[in-house]
Amino acid sequence: GDGYAKHISPVTGRIHASFLMGTAAGRLSCHSPNIQNPPRGAEFRALFAPKPGRCLVVADYSQIELRVAALVSGDAAMLAAYEAGQDLHRKTAAAVLGIEPEQVTKGQRQMAKVLNFGLLYGSGAKELQAYAKASYGVDLSLGEADKARTAFFKAYPELSKWQAETRRGAERAGQVRTPGGRVRALEGQRALATESLNTPIQGGAAECLLAALAALELDSLGAALVNVVHDELVVECDPDQAEAVAAEVERAMVAGFLAIF
């Protein structure tokens, strides 16, 4: 579109966006133009390409917000699932439906995604119902949403306890902290209940990525970071260096996570 085209550099023939510490939770934001959230159309996405003769190495943190939630809440069931290398969406579906994880269908796993991400920040049944429809196209009655919510917190009781304690603490102090120690003032905010939970989790994930960027060493590999999308790094390099670049990106992302946790 014209909005993107006007940002093409006459020197390089490419777009060079600006990244800022832009969100209240601590994530990087992007402008002029925003290349973190481009339109989803395949033709538009095809514009994001390496230079001729180069390739892209892309890596993201798997389920990072759920992993951060497990760590900050200390929920034993969540931590045990990750330690065992289990699929947390499948585990949630099994717990809520009262079946074995290997019996979970693709549709049931999708429903569990709704619960895992929708309830992470303390949604009530009505908000969960709306989130399920808007984000995943999953239709839940209010009764189904309420029943699923109850089953979810029964499966992860320490997450539920952490949410209640974090909310109360934020109400008393008028602020909340990220795992890295950044303070966010919340006094007078209508969304305090949500933001008090969102900030430690999303903020912790953002801090892991920032620490990973600090640890990343690409110069000796002739590679360049070309985009950062919340929990994902996109690096451009020569094809014969792709394996070494992938190893360095993974090393830095693990180091970034361990720097915070």
Side-chain angles (χ1 to χ4, degrees):
D2 293 340
Y4 267 56
K6 72 181 183 183
H7 292 288
I8 296 172
S9 165
V11 178
T12 66
R14 305 184 86 187
I15 286 172
H16 305 271
S18 296
F19 289 82
L20 300 169
M21 289 293 295
T23 75
R27 278 179 162 185
L28 290 173
S29 66
C30 181
H31 71 95
S32 303
N34 180 357
I35 59 170
Q36 290 181 325
N37 303 103
R40 287 191 175 276
E43 288 183 347
F44 201 97
R45 292 291 173 105
L47 298 173
F48 290 77
K51 286 179 183 175
R54 301 265 277 180
C55 69
L56 296 178
V57 173
V58 184
D60 75 334
Y61 284 118
S62 170
Q63 299 180 8
I64 188 170
E65 291 186 21
L66 290 174
R67 292 177 191 272
V68 170
L71 287 161
V72 298
S73 70
D75 188 273
M78 295 178 82
L79 290 170
Y82 279 125
E83 192 169 353
Q86 294 176 340
D87 176 1
L88 198 71
H89 297 319
R90 190 172 290 277
K91 179 179 174 65
T92 296
V96 169
L97 297 169
I99 59 177
E100 293 301 314
E102 52 272 18
Q103 294 177 293
V104 172
T105 66
K106 189 176 179 181
Q108 289 167 337
R109 185 179 181 275
Q110 187 78 340
M111 179 274 295
K113 272 190 177 183
V114 171
L115 300 181
N116 281 340
F117 293 121
L119 296 175
L120 204 54
Y121 303 127
S123 298
K126 199 168 184 179
E127 291 92 345
L128 180 64
Q129 181 188 36
Y131 174 78
K133 182 65 175 175
S135 298
Y136 292 93
V138 173
D139 288 304
L140 292 175
S141 70
L142 200 56
E144 287 171 334
D146 188 51
K147 188 177 176 182
R149 186 177 182 277
T150 300
F152 176 87
F153 285 119
K154 187 177 179 183
Y156 305 120
E158 285 147 307
L159 176 65
S160 178
K161 183 181 175 186
W162 174 82
Q163 287 186 347
E165 289 175 350
T166 301
R167 274 201 200 102
R168 283 197 297 269
E171 284 168 2
R172 283 196 304 269
Q175 64 180 35
V176 68
R177 288 176 183 266
T178 63
R182 199 168 60 86
V183 177
R184 179 181 178 187
L186 291 175
E187 267 186 305
Q189 286 210 17
R190 282 186 300 176
L192 183 144
T194 302
E195 298 300 346
S196 64
L197 305 181
N198 176 290
T199 303
I201 295 173
Q202 204 175 82
E207 287 169 339
C208 289
L209 192 83
L210 291 172
L213 289 176
L216 193 61
E217 299 282 353
L218 295 174
D219 289 352
S220 65
L221 298 169
L225 187 71
V226 292
N227 202 358
V228 180
V229 189
H230 305 316
D231 59 358
E232 178 180 88
L233 301 184
V234 183
V235 178
E236 184 182 276
C237 67
D238 291 333
D240 61 358
Q241 290 290 336
E243 202 170 307
V245 168
E248 169 55 20
V249 170
E250 183 172 345
R251 182 203 66 77
M253 290 179 79
V254 170
F257 198 97
L258 294 177
I260 305 301
F261 296 102

